[in-house]
Amino acid sequence: MIKHLFKLIWNKKKQNFLLITEMFVSFIVMFAVFTLIVYYYNNYKQPMGFDYDNVWVANYTPPPNIQSNDSAQLFHDVLEKMVKSMPEVVDMSFMSNNVPFSMSTSNTEISYGDHRNVRTNIYTAEDSYKDVLNFKILEGRWFTNADIVKGRDIPIVINKKLKEELFGNETATGKIIGENMIDKSQQSARYRVIGVADNLKDKGSYQAIENGMYRNIDTGAMHWVGNIVLKVKPNVDAAFEGKLFKTLSNAIGTSIEIEHFDKKLVTKNRIMLVPMIILLIVAGFLIINVSLGLFGVLWYNINKRKSEIGLRRAVGASGSSVSNQLVGEALVLATISLILGLFFAVQFPLLNVFDLASNIYLWAIAFSVLFIYVLVIICALYPGKQAAAIYPAVALHEE
């Protein structure tokens, strides 16, 4: 039966070439769609790693009149006392611009042993940052103000992902890693790992966890730090936000912007979903065109092959066998297109394209194959049912 179906398709290869091409392109597009869906879903399943409820961030521009390190330290001390004196504030921390769910990033390249040019995000915050976000320390400890000393090695805390990439199953605490300076004339920075923190998914719900390292704010960094991450008590109202805004405006004298982490997360996730939405729209139009084309071809074949179908019915073929033949021909066409598509799709996990896990591509291939087969069956069922309803006498009489 299958051999017969292949023979029928081969005899009409010119007519079927365009349909095979359409299904091949549909498979490639659906492979891209399902790859993105599986990738986002795997990232979404990962825990956030920190508490972002009731956490706000106040963004401001540091005053330009602060020049010396002592004046910058004094300014931040006064500002911190003012914010912490508010009863609605649980805790706070100054931080660099790359706060969670923001559009700002700060990264560098580090090396350890055979691991060269490992890119990682670098976060600068106070010792209270861990308490504000309430994340776990898996190994060692978090830094304290006592670690702010002038020395050769800068104490840092790295996240679990960076620890696994650099040290594997070894203990990370006490290890020395170096920073690859862009300007080779500068002296390479050296970092001493004092702790390992849990992974924080601070780029959004659908973003993969990235390497991260945390260092304490020293007096030199006080000049450019312009973000206050603060945890507030539950159920605080807009009146407190206005009070906080006024307090910071009077103290800093520059523009202030207060954002809520939960709202920033929603905005970040919407931006992350834009490529998915665009790809789904393109795929939707393509699938509709393929469906209409497949449906039209099968309908045309029924009208063109009425005599053949009538003759088969006259010699004893059942309506279900005629219907199954048409559905089978459509499935063979789909199989040919899928074989071509699989040849290109399997190159992605083999060549590790886009540095994604192989199981993401394999799941995407499986979903794409299933989708194409289901689509073909749905498009072929009704024309097959119409072919099964053709009466032999009517078909032969028309011929």
Side-chain angles (χ1 to χ4, degrees):
M1 179 64 179
I2 297 178
K3 182 180 179 181
H4 176 67
L5 293 177
F6 272 100
K7 184 180 293 186
L8 290 174
I9 292 173
W10 177 255
N11 292 333
K12 300 178 181 179
K13 50 183 177 295
K14 291 184 179 180
Q15 296 89 330
N16 295 325
F17 175 76
L18 181 59
L19 196 57
I20 292 175
T21 303
E22 289 181 348
M23 286 191 284
F24 166 75
V25 175
S26 299
F27 171 80
I28 296 299
V29 173
M30 294 312 302
F31 172 67
V33 171
F34 282 116
T35 298
L36 199 58
I37 291 176
V38 175
Y39 173 72
Y40 279 177
Y41 176 72
N42 284 348
N43 296 337
Y44 183 78
K45 289 192 305 181
Q46 301 297 323
M48 297 297 292
F50 67 101
D51 296 336
Y52 57 88
D53 292 329
N54 303 314
V55 179
W56 299 358
V57 57
N59 309 305
Y60 65 92
T61 303
N65 58 343
I66 298 179
Q67 301 295 331
S68 65
N69 292 340
D70 292 337
S71 59
Q73 183 67 53
L74 179 61
F75 169 76
H76 283 84
D77 289 343
V78 172
L79 196 60
E80 184 173 2
K81 289 180 181 179
M82 293 175 59
V83 174
K84 285 187 175 181
S85 64
M86 299 181 178
E88 295 87 353
V89 176
V90 178
D91 208 343
M92 63 155 285
S93 170
F94 290 99
M95 189 185 175
S96 51
N97 291 332
N98 53 340
V99 297
F101 314 137
S102 68
M103 301 300 175
S104 176
T105 59
S106 177
N107 50 57
T108 185
E109 290 185 350
I110 58 175
S111 299
Y112 175 80
D114 296 333
H115 300 277
R116 301 290 179 181
N117 302 325
V118 177
R119 182 167 293 275
T120 177
N121 293 305
I122 181 168
Y123 304 90
T124 305
E126 287 187 306
D127 57 334
S128 56
Y129 184 66
K130 180 181 74 69
D131 298 325
V132 173
L133 297 187
N134 190 30
F135 54 85
K136 298 179 181 179
I137 299 297
L138 306 178
E139 179 186 324
R141 63 178 178 85
W142 185 252
F143 49 73
T144 64
N145 287 332
D147 294 312
I148 307 179
V149 293
K150 293 185 178 296
R152 171 63 175 166
D153 303 329
I154 303 173
I156 61 168
V157 176
I158 62 176
N159 68 351
K160 181 181 177 181
K161 185 178 186 302
L162 182 58
K163 182 259 182 185
E164 292 174 347
E165 183 170 349
L166 292 179
F167 312 113
N169 296 326
E170 298 179 10
T171 300
T173 306
K175 300 289 179 61
I176 303 296
I177 59 179
E179 182 178 9
N180 304 324
M181 306 299 293
I182 298 177
D183 186 356
K184 300 302 180 182
S185 63
Q186 297 181 0
Q187 186 178 10
S188 178
R190 284 162 49 99
Y191 299 102
R192 176 171 53 87
V193 180
I194 63 174
V196 177
D198 198 4
N199 292 325
L200 273 63
K201 199 165 61 174
D202 60 343
K203 304 298 183 183
S205 300
Y206 305 106
Q207 181 69 34
I209 295 174
E210 301 177 353
N211 295 329
M213 53 185 288
Y214 305 85
R215 57 174 296 180
N216 207 344
I217 297 178
D218 54 21
T219 54
M222 289 294 183
H223 293 281
W224 50 266
V225 169
N227 299 276
I228 302 176
V229 180
L230 60 150
K231 189 174 186 63
V232 299
K233 293 181 180 180
N235 302 323
V236 294
D237 52 15
F240 168 69
E241 184 173 348
K243 176 183 176 182
L244 176 65
F245 179 86
K246 184 177 181 180
T247 300
L248 295 177
S249 297
N250 294 335
I252 301 174
T254 57
S255 59
I256 307 295
E257 182 183 14
I258 298 177
E259 299 176 291
H260 301 193
F261 270 16
D262 53 352
K263 296 180 180 178
K264 286 176 67 66
L265 177 59
V266 173
T267 303
K268 185 73 173 182
N269 288 342
R270 287 176 179 173
I271 296 175
M272 286 289 297
L273 289 176
V274 168
M276 172 70 72
I277 296 173
I278 295 176
L279 197 56
L280 285 174
I281 293 174
V282 174
F285 280 112
L286 180 62
I287 295 304
I288 291 174
N289 290 332
V290 172
S291 302
L292 294 176
L294 180 61
F295 188 86
V297 168
L298 294 177
W299 188 273
Y300 174 76
N301 286 340
I302 291 174
N303 293 325
K304 190 176 180 180
R305 298 164 60 184
K306 272 190 175 182
S307 59
E308 174 193 337
I309 296 173
L311 183 60
R312 288 194 60 196
R313 293 297 306 275
V315 297
S318 62
S320 60
S321 65
V322 173
S323 177
N324 292 337
Q325 178 184 341
L326 290 175
V327 175
E329 290 179 12
L331 291 176
V332 171
L333 287 173
T335 302
I336 295 175
S337 65
L338 290 176
I339 292 175
L340 296 174
L342 287 174
F343 173 78
F344 293 97
V346 295
Q347 306 304 316
F348 285 79
L350 292 178
L351 301 178
N352 195 24
V353 181
F354 302 123
D355 198 24
L356 297 181
S358 297
N359 66 312
I360 294 178
Y361 291 122
L362 296 178
W363 276 111
I365 290 174
F367 287 136
S368 301
V369 170
L370 180 63
F371 180 86
I372 294 298
Y373 274 131
V374 171
L375 177 67
V376 170
I377 291 174
I378 292 176
C379 293
L381 280 178
Y382 184 74
K385 183 180 179 182
Q386 293 297 106
I390 295 176
Y391 290 101
V394 175
L396 295 176
H397 176 72
E398 291 181 356
E399 184 66 20

